[in-house]
Amino acid sequence: MRDSIEQKLYYQVGKIRIAANNRDWYVATALAVRDRVVDGWHRSTDSTYTHGAKRVYYMSLEFLIGRLLRDNLANLGLNDVVKGALDQLGVDFDAIRQIEPDAALGNGGLGRLAACYLESMSSLAIPAIGYGIRYERGLFRQIVKNGFQQEYPEDWLELGNPWQFERPEISYNIGFGGEVAMVSDSDSETQHVWHPAERVEAVAYDIPIVGWRGRHVNALRLWSARAVDPIRLDAFNQGDHVGALSERARAESISQVLYPSDETPAGQELRLRQEYFFAAASLQDLLRRHLKSFKTVETLHEKAAIQLNDTHPSIAVIELMRILVDDHNVPWQQAWDITRETFCYTNHTLLPEALETWPVPLMERLLPRHMQIIYLLNLMFLDEVKQRFPGDVAMMTSLSLVDETHGRRVRMGNVAFLGSHKVNGVSALHTDLMRKTVFHDFNAMYPDRINNKTNGITFRRWLYQSNPGLTQLVVDAVGPEILDDETLFAKLAPFADDASFQEKFAAVKQDNKAALAKLVRERVGVRLNPHALFDVQIKRIHEYKRQLLNILETIALYNAIRAQPMRDWAPRVKIFAGKAAPSYHRAKLIIKLAHDVARVINSDPTLRDALKVVFLPNYNVSLAEVVIPAADLSEQISTAGMEASGTGNMKFALNGALTIGTLDGANVEMLERVGSDNIFIFGLTAEEVEARRRQTIDSSDFIAKSDVLQEVLTAVENGNFSPDDPGRYRGLIEAIRYHDYFMVAADFDAYYRRQRDVAATWRRPSDWRRSAVLNTAGMGFFSSDRSIREYASDLWNVPTWPKK
Ligand SMILES: *Cc1c(COP(=O)(O)O)cnc(C)c1O
């Protein structure tokens, strides 16, 4: 390994040791490790071809991967080897590990799920390819200036990407616009031929994804957009140097930036171009591969399963129909059967406004043939609906692929549902609500189609690599088999009452907290008491995730401490991190409020150590890997019915944090697994939220009954935390009083009380530690290996390791 690294440095990086900096060593090390990855990759591909195995294609517009060096080393079992080699070379492993930029090709949970699932598919030896876009700019870098979020472009490719393989030879032509010609052939059948007006080239870049114990390696294939004719030489030679490159700029804009929006569709043409671009390139790629092995498109559904991660790739359903019918002359009904049998769709949100729709005129202009196919599919489908539910106009209206009520728009959620043989939600509650709300009528039409696949996380990244101390402890307790079988986590439960195990468990947590305190000191200059209760809420900033509820509770606690400064308060640190979508003004105001409150609280000498508030800028996977192992309390406090699953909740509990949370998303299933004594549940249920919304969302009555909340709201409203701009939060507080859609006021008292229970339990260290152990012990179910096994057996019909 030492020789390989030196060789890579010398020949690939082109440096000698004395001239090499940490970046050079990082690249050399990554390249040396990549060689080992490639060996496994070729073995996996070879075996898939030889056995004619069915493949899974995971299509996602987001992959929130983070760094890969430590992940790859751990999965290959080369951690110690590489550390030893670097030691001999006099290079600090941790320093070069941190040179690697985060691959942040995603916004939050949805993209991180795709990354965890890719890793699990490799670990379970499922032949799979992840398809996405190689954004030049990932999720923006968040800088907080004076409490205000500022967005800066993230340049993850600045230093090159040693993991990737550029594949200029794998490129496809993607058309946009133009018209559709009708040609009659000899059998007097009408053929449709699409003549696009514009063409863009999709070029492949592969990143190999190594499974656990190097067992199997799959590729993440990302598409980059290139102009077919990069430069118009005639224009250039006539002196129009910019105009000569304009086509190139237009084409390449497709893979320039990740949409920095979370939950709400950007609703812009570029977004649709991105979606079609990557769906069309991926389909051409997988069909080429299929035809090479199996010669006919008619067996596609037997040899390929395509999973649509949310509606973003759902235009692929129509594109496959177009290819089968127009390019391969497959009869319509057979093409539709193949299509449906090939696709599955994962729904991620119940918010009707977050299910993508595209204006019909835009579709007609950009994808004219696809619009025709949608019309025809819709016609045949609504005919079926009419027969099943005669005279039910409401049913027809809600199932139609085209929404006629808000200006004419194509409903991509309906397209994805209709074009898939299985449609899944991401937690038991979410799936239940899908059946009752967004897809109620589809469920009546196709009762067996909706099913649940509760999300999971890869334990490799979120425990073994990010928390080696706790990993060693559980291995010592249960045996090394636990690393290969997540069901063995249950065996930790008996240790919850073991005083010496509790001690060790707490000591690991304490070390992790010291490491986080150091990072906080470096990044934001606040000195934390490492023995305080670390109370953490890190996730995208969103009203439904209710960071505001947490901040208001922080103020209430502040008021209580000030009223009785000499009481023996359990010291607490409130830690926040998260990005707000750049156009989401209220979310950005919430970030500002967190900073305003932190400034006041952290500078109040009467509090001494009892309370501190910090906001860590630029939340990403690498930051999560440091913060989560150090958390005592995990905040999962979304308005019930609004968080589809959450995966942050699972990461924290796995690392021995206790959760304070609502009965929302996967919290419900976590409660079932850890027991109500070991999780702090509070607040309205999804049903109660619904009922209350139907009544009123005016919360003034609630507020009148709560002195604590009253005092908090008045303080914020009067500018106590924003003397520079006393009116800053008036609108925010007014919304809570009179338009409390997210139930911040309605849930406040319950939350405040539950937080006092948290403090009381914290006072009893043995009880707290017992619960913490039981949280880790209860999380086996939430391994993404379990999720992927369910996808494999129920949706994809592919075997998983160990294969029998
Ligand atoms: C896990 C994760 C998320 C999702 O967190 P939730 O709390 O489920 O919203 C978002 N961003 C990053 C970087 C993550 O690691």
Side-chain angles (χ1 to χ4, degrees), residues 445-552:
M445 188 77 191
Y446 302 109
D448 298 329
R449 196 165 295 184
I450 297 180
N451 68 99
N452 179 241
K453 294 284 167 281
T454 298
N455 282 170
I457 54 171
T458 167
F459 286 14
R460 268 82 59 183
R461 183 177 287 264
W462 295 110
L463 184 64
Y464 310 158
Q465 291 147 40
S466 60
N467 198 345
L470 185 52
T471 303
Q472 190 59 52
L473 190 58
V474 304
V475 165
D476 290 346
V478 175
E481 310 84 59
I482 196 170
L483 301 177
D484 294 85
D485 180 357
E486 75 276 359
T487 64
L488 298 180
F489 273 79
K491 288 199 165 180
L492 283 172
F495 291 92
D497 291 304
D498 176 333
S500 103
F501 189 81
Q502 279 189 5
E503 284 294 326
K504 291 184 210 149
F505 200 93
V508 169
K509 182 65 78 182
Q510 201 52 59
D511 285 349
N512 295 336
K513 288 169 73 173
L516 176 58
K518 180 164 171 281
L519 181 138
V520 167
R521 184 90 204 278
E522 288 162 5
R523 299 243 172 123
V524 294
V526 178
R527 194 191 291 270
L528 301 182
N529 169 5
H531 297 284
L533 191 169
F534 281 18
D535 173 345
V536 183
Q537 187 171 24
I538 52 174
K539 47 181 77 237
R540 285 297 287 242
I541 310 292
H542 211 291
E543 282 162 286
Y544 87 79
K545 290 179 181 278
R546 295 201 296 193
Q547 282 90 356
L548 194 48
L549 179 61
N550 190 350
I551 297 169
L552 298 182

Side-chain angles (χ1 to χ4, degrees), residues 122-126 212 215 484 789 799-804:
S122 290
S123 292
L124 296 173
I126 297 174
W212 182 231
R215 189 173 288 145
D484 294 85
R789 271 191 218 100
T800 52
W801 188 89
K803 294 179 185 176
K804 290 173 186 106

Side-chain angles (χ1 to χ4, degrees), residues 93-138:
F93 173 74
D94 226 48
I96 69 151
R97 187 183 77 75
Q98 297 195 33
I99 298 266
E100 179 173 5
D102 266 45
L105 310 183
N107 278 288
L110 177 146
R112 184 53 233 174
L113 184 77
C116 282
Y117 280 2
L118 273 190
E119 199 266 3
S120 273
M121 284 186 260
S122 290
S123 292
L124 296 173
I126 297 174
I129 293 182
Y131 279 124
I133 293 180
R134 182 178 180 272
Y135 305 106
E136 297 286 326
R137 314 268 165 191

